[in-house]
Amino acid sequence: MTPRNLIATDDWPDDEIRAVLARAAELKAGAAGASFAGKALIMVFFNPSLRTRTSFEVAMARHGGHAVVLEPGKGAWTIETRSGVVMDGEAVEHIVEAARVLGRYGEAVAVRAFPSADTWAEARRDEVVRAFADHAGVPTINMESARRHPCQGLADAQTLQENFGAQPRGRRFVLTWSWHPKPLPTAVPASAALAAARLGMEVVVARPPGYDLDPDDMATIKAVADRNGGTVEVTDNLDAAVTGADAVYAKSWGCLDDFGTPEAEAARRAPHRGWIVNEDRMSATRDGAGIFLHCLPVRRNVVVTDGVLDGPWSRVTDQAENRLHAQRAVLETMLSNRGEK
Ligand code: CP
């Protein structure tokens, strides 16, 4: 049987996402969780993490299971991720063997692999996480790749539901690009927009010219919004976008046309330092009471001001907490034995 994977929330039907979100809310409210006794989640981190690693480890422990963390090149062998190469360099282990072996030890595998390719055309294929899914033989969870951060998207959706109800149709969700000293992946903004689209919200993507998300991702966000009663709009006017908004989600991402050429990207980004979420912009939201969201980690006074993060608008800590509950619900679904704890 093909194992159930979570590479992107858009691979899962609406009713299953709704069920995961409902279950996440139940678990957060204190419902007894399924037992993962004797089960292991093997996590492979090619990149650092605070929230993802901790919340998955705690989730497994809370259900009586066990989490193993591997960091290739740091205590675990360096992994070659390309196909068909002569492995006469630094890497001593190939991703195919790594995935096959880890799938024999654990009931599920989870992988974080940010883009490392030279071009967006290559990076957008998310080959590392997909290789694990192809070869592990057990359910594979994407813990953030170039294109998607599905667990973040689920926590984002849970946070939106907590503030606006289970079906917040008609509420305005503004995803705003922010200035940042480095070009970052588009996984979080694409996943956040998908989360709001799935809830039928009015999604507005505010970004400077040149900072469009991947066209296929925009088409997917539009399709998800259409079938859930939502809308999608793109603008380069941040102040107009936040006026009357219900939720403002800040995230920086790199220009995809400049992917692999950081100097060109830095020059393109330089004029846009004013793209920051501050108290004036949050005061312009609906009744001055819109909520502020960010996946974290966030650079204070670069992406968002202290006054917003420490003010009444911010829900970023709730969002981070919801990673734990959303992932417990995902693990219950994927490890599928709903016994009593
Ligand atoms: N939001 C998120 O994924 O946080 P970490 O990078 O700390 O895991």
Side-chain angles (χ1 to χ4, degrees), residues 48-53 112 144 149 152 295-297 323:
S49 163
L50 186 148
R51 280 144 291 272
T52 304
R53 173 176 175 165
R112 168 167 284 195
E144 192 174 349
H149 194 349
Q152 183 65 52
C295 64
L296 306 180
R323 292 291 306 276

Side-chain angles (χ1 to χ4, degrees), residues 141-334:
I141 301 171
N142 177 3
M143 297 193 295
E144 192 174 349
S145 61
R147 294 283 289 283
R148 293 289 186 275
H149 194 349
C151 298
Q152 183 65 52
L154 289 167
D156 297 342
Q158 187 178 351
T159 311
L160 289 167
Q161 288 186 327
E162 285 173 350
N163 284 276
F164 305 121
Q167 290 293 331
R169 289 203 178 97
R171 296 283 196 160
R172 185 132 62 90
F173 173 91
V174 177
L175 169 68
T176 176
W177 183 91
S178 302
W179 188 89
H180 188 282
K182 294 180 182 170
L184 301 180
T186 56
V188 166
S191 301
L194 276 164
R198 182 91 70 164
L199 299 181
M201 298 182 81
E202 293 175 10
V203 177
V204 180
V205 180
R207 87 290 173 260
Y211 282 87
D212 286 320
L213 296 174
D214 184 280
D216 285 350
D217 289 346
M218 285 304 295
T220 301
I221 294 161
K222 177 84 169 55
V224 170
D226 284 349
R227 70 168 188 262
N228 285 285
T231 58
V232 182
E233 179 192 330
V234 179
T235 179
D236 59 8
N237 189 334
L238 174 55
D239 286 311
V242 298
T243 301
D246 294 288
V248 178
Y249 195 121
K251 188 72 185 82
S252 191
W253 62 90
C255 168
L256 298 181
D257 289 342
D258 295 335
F259 192 92
T261 53
E263 296 82 10
E265 210 284 338
R268 190 193 293 263
R269 194 171 356 111
H272 304 305
R273 189 118 196 191
W275 284 69
I276 181 171
V277 178
N278 56 25
E279 293 93 314
D280 285 346
R281 284 176 169 146
M282 290 309 299
S283 296
T285 58
R286 189 193 296 266
D287 300 325
I291 64 169
F292 174 78
L293 300 167
H294 189 283
C295 64
L296 306 180
V298 69
R299 290 182 183 245
R300 281 177 173 253
N301 304 310
V302 172
V303 168
V304 54
T305 60
D306 284 340
V308 172
L309 280 173
D310 299 327
W313 306 281
S314 181
R315 298 293 185 277
V316 298
T317 313
D318 293 341
Q319 255 180 293
E321 180 190 338
N322 288 340
R323 292 291 306 276
L324 171 63
H325 308 301
Q327 288 159 200
R328 291 175 67 195
V330 165
L331 288 166
E332 280 192 346
T333 302
M334 298 180 80

Side-chain angles (χ1 to χ4, degrees), residues 86-142:
V86 177
M87 288 176 56
D88 56 1
E90 286 299 308
V92 297
E93 172 121 41
H94 197 271
I95 194 166
V96 172
E97 281 72 51
R100 286 175 181 160
V101 169
L102 295 177
R104 297 285 179 98
Y105 296 148
E107 279 64 37
V109 170
V111 182
R112 168 167 284 195
F114 293 171
S116 59
D118 294 334
T119 65
W120 178 243
E122 186 183 346
R124 73 191 297 285
R125 296 201 288 263
D126 279 348
E127 285 179 339
V128 173
V129 66
R130 291 191 187 280
F132 272 95
D134 287 345
H135 298 291
V138 294
T140 298
I141 301 171
N142 177 3

